[in-house]
Amino acid sequence: MAIERKAKESTTCSRCQESAINHCTTCRIFMCQKCSESHDSWLAMKLSHNVLSVEELSDPESQVKMRSKLYCMKHEDKVLEYYCETCKELSCIHCMVLNHIKQNHSCVAVSEVAQKQRETLQLSCTTLDEKLYEGKEALNNICEVMKSLEKNAKTAKEQIEEEKENILTVVAEKVNEKAAKMKEEVGKVYGELHSELSKQHVEIKDYLDKVQTSVSLPRSLLKRGSIEEILSSQKLIDENIEKLGDEKPVNLAAVNDGDIQYVPDDIGNINFDEIVGKLGHVEGDPSVQDNLKKSSNILKGEIAFMKQLQKWLREKCKWNLCYRASRDGWSAQDFHRHCDNKGPTVVLVKANNCIFGGYTDGEWK
């Protein structure tokens, strides 16, 4: 600081040029013993002015006291005791006269605006505190939403897995029921075919037993019989053969081929989309369509409103701007000229800070 440099270079009294022993940081002057006594004789000065010894000027704590006031960069020994409301800056008496008053700026003493400025500063702090609180609340809310999002995503995945198992269980039950019925059908067909074959089996078995009995006589005669026995038995043998011809089953071939086959349906014909569709769908917070963002000035920045509109109307709408009063005119004729015969429409109105409107699935006429 200039005062510190001056104290090191010279310690003469600013008034009488005697050796200085003190420095008044308020008056910005060095004082000898006599001038110090004269200075302190004024009670107001003694009580309100800050007086330091020359030795104290180099002390860090004393320098803090000196820095309690700001000094002009151009006029280093002058305190910045005026405030230009036009430029919103502090100035010393010289700068105020040279740079501000001449230009008809509004200048006041710092002491006059101190309280007002403190109130303004307090208001600024209050405003910033409100913004800080608002920002923290918004951040906390987003954090809570993110936690909720993570929880909801986990729950949704678990529910999807559970529903998948339910569908697979139902499908498996239906398939098992169908398979059981088909097995019953196999058993029924088997029973019918087996009954036919069993009956035929008994008939042919009886016939074979009779043939076996009849063939035993001629075989025995061939081995041990005399010609007389053969001749006398031939009539009986012929009668047995004739009788067997009458008793021979009409059909010696199997009455059925024993064919039971499972004929699977083409798995490609199964409507898997319908089955999978039973799993449902996922709903979330939709992103805003670009043409809605670009077309509406009323909803500009109102992301929550735009998402709500889309949620209400879902895929029914394709957003195209038909009419804007500030661009196309404010009369009813202007409105109908741009909106008639356009199909379903959403009308949005903003009055002060309120946004309202309506939807119609018919056409304006």
Side-chain angles (χ1 to χ4, degrees):
M1 291 176 64
I3 295 174
E4 295 174 48
R5 293 197 302 270
K6 189 173 181 181
K8 293 177 181 179
E9 296 169 359
S10 173
T11 55
T12 57
C13 179
S14 301
R15 292 176 177 173
C16 63
Q17 302 303 313
E18 294 291 330
S19 179
I21 60 171
N22 294 322
H23 176 74
C24 178
T25 61
T26 307
C27 298
R28 301 289 291 169
I29 60 173
F30 285 92
M31 300 178 293
C32 63
Q33 180 66 41
K34 185 177 180 180
C35 291
S36 295
E37 293 174 357
S38 175
H39 179 276
D40 292 344
S41 65
W42 294 87
L43 183 60
M45 289 186 178
K46 185 174 182 180
L47 294 176
S48 61
H49 286 206
N50 184 28
V51 178
L52 300 174
S53 67
V54 172
E55 291 78 11
E56 287 178 318
L57 291 177
S58 59
D59 182 58
E61 292 184 3
S62 300
Q63 291 175 15
V64 171
K65 295 180 182 179
M66 294 174 64
R67 292 192 184 100
S68 61
K69 290 185 178 293
L70 299 177
Y71 294 89
C72 182
M73 297 289 291
K74 294 181 179 179
H75 310 95
E76 296 181 345
D77 60 340
K78 298 300 178 183
V79 178
L80 298 175
E81 53 187 347
Y82 294 94
Y83 179 71
C84 177
E85 294 180 324
T86 306
C87 299
K88 296 188 181 301
E89 63 180 33
L90 293 168
S91 67
C92 68
I93 181 64
H94 294 331
C95 290
M96 181 187 70
V97 173
L98 295 173
N99 302 328
H100 299 283
I101 296 297
K102 286 185 177 181
Q103 298 183 34
N104 295 321
H105 289 189
S106 175
C107 297
V108 293
V110 170
S111 58
E112 293 180 17
V113 297
Q115 184 58 35
K116 180 181 177 181
Q117 193 61 34
R118 285 190 177 90
E119 292 173 357
T120 301
L121 188 61
Q122 181 60 49
L123 182 61
S124 297
C125 289
T126 301
T127 301
L128 291 172
D129 286 340
E130 290 175 354
K131 291 183 179 296
L132 184 62
Y133 176 80
E134 182 182 32
K136 287 181 178 179
E137 285 292 302
L139 188 61
N140 290 336
N141 180 62
I142 290 173
C143 290
E144 290 299 319
V145 172
M146 290 176 70
K147 290 179 182 178
S148 177
L149 174 63
E150 185 175 355
K151 180 181 178 182
N152 291 339
K154 181 180 178 182
T155 301
K157 289 179 180 179
E158 292 173 351
Q159 290 173 338
I160 290 171
E161 187 65 25
E162 181 180 355
E163 187 63 16
K164 181 197 76 174
E165 295 299 326
N166 291 338
I167 291 174
L168 291 177
T169 300
V170 171
V171 171
E173 289 175 354
K174 296 296 183 183
V175 171
N176 288 334
E177 289 177 6
K178 177 68 174 178
K181 289 181 180 179
M182 293 177 70
K183 289 177 181 179
E184 289 179 4
E185 292 178 8
V186 170
K188 183 178 179 180
V189 173
Y190 169 82
E192 293 174 353
L193 297 179
H194 186 270
S195 177
E196 292 176 351
L197 291 171
S198 295
K199 183 179 179 181
Q200 187 182 28
H201 181 274
V202 170
E203 291 177 355
I204 294 177
K205 181 69 168 56
D206 289 343
Y207 172 71
L208 287 177
D209 289 343
K210 291 177 181 180
V211 172
Q212 187 67 39
T213 301
S214 297
V215 80
S216 62
L217 177 59
R219 283 180 178 173
S220 177
L221 290 173
L222 284 174
K223 289 181 179 180
R224 296 183 294 275
S226 62
I227 187 63
E228 291 82 7
E229 290 175 330
I230 292 173
L231 290 172
S232 60
S233 300
Q234 186 62 49
K235 182 178 179 181
L236 178 61
I237 293 171
D238 291 341
E239 289 176 354
N240 287 338
I241 292 173
E242 184 179 355
K243 186 178 180 180
L244 287 172
D246 295 335
E247 294 179 352
K248 179 182 177 181
V250 177
N251 188 10
L252 292 178
V255 292
N256 61 66
D257 57 7
D259 185 23
I260 299 179
Q261 293 185 8
Y262 162 62
V263 182
D265 196 359
D266 183 3
I267 196 170
N269 293 330
I270 298 176
N271 191 344
F272 289 106
D273 289 339
E274 182 178 355
I275 297 174
V276 174
K278 299 299 182 182
L279 194 58
H281 63 280
V282 176
E283 287 188 352
D285 201 5
S287 59
V288 177
Q289 295 181 23
D290 287 338
N291 54 348
L292 177 57
K293 286 182 183 177
K294 296 175 182 177
S295 61
S296 177
N297 284 341
I298 290 178
L299 293 180
K300 188 174 183 180
E302 301 289 352
I303 301 298
F305 287 178
M306 288 188 272
K307 287 184 176 181
Q308 185 61 62
L309 271 178
Q310 290 187 166
K311 189 173 182 180
W312 280 336
L313 299 177
R314 294 186 180 275
E315 68 282 352
K316 294 180 182 178
C317 59
K318 291 184 179 179
W319 301 95
N320 294 300
L321 181 64
C322 300
Y323 168 75
R324 178 180 288 150
S326 59
R327 180 192 68 184
D328 302 318
W330 295 87
S331 69
Q333 291 83 355
D334 293 328
F335 174 86
H336 284 283
R337 185 169 61 255
H338 290 86
C339 298
D340 284 359
N341 303 312
K342 297 291 186 180
T345 54
V346 173
V347 177
L348 296 172
V349 180
K350 185 172 184 179
N352 296 324
N353 292 324
C354 297
I355 298 175
F356 55 93
Y359 166 78
T360 176
D361 56 4
E363 291 187 331
W364 290 97
K365 299 291 185 181

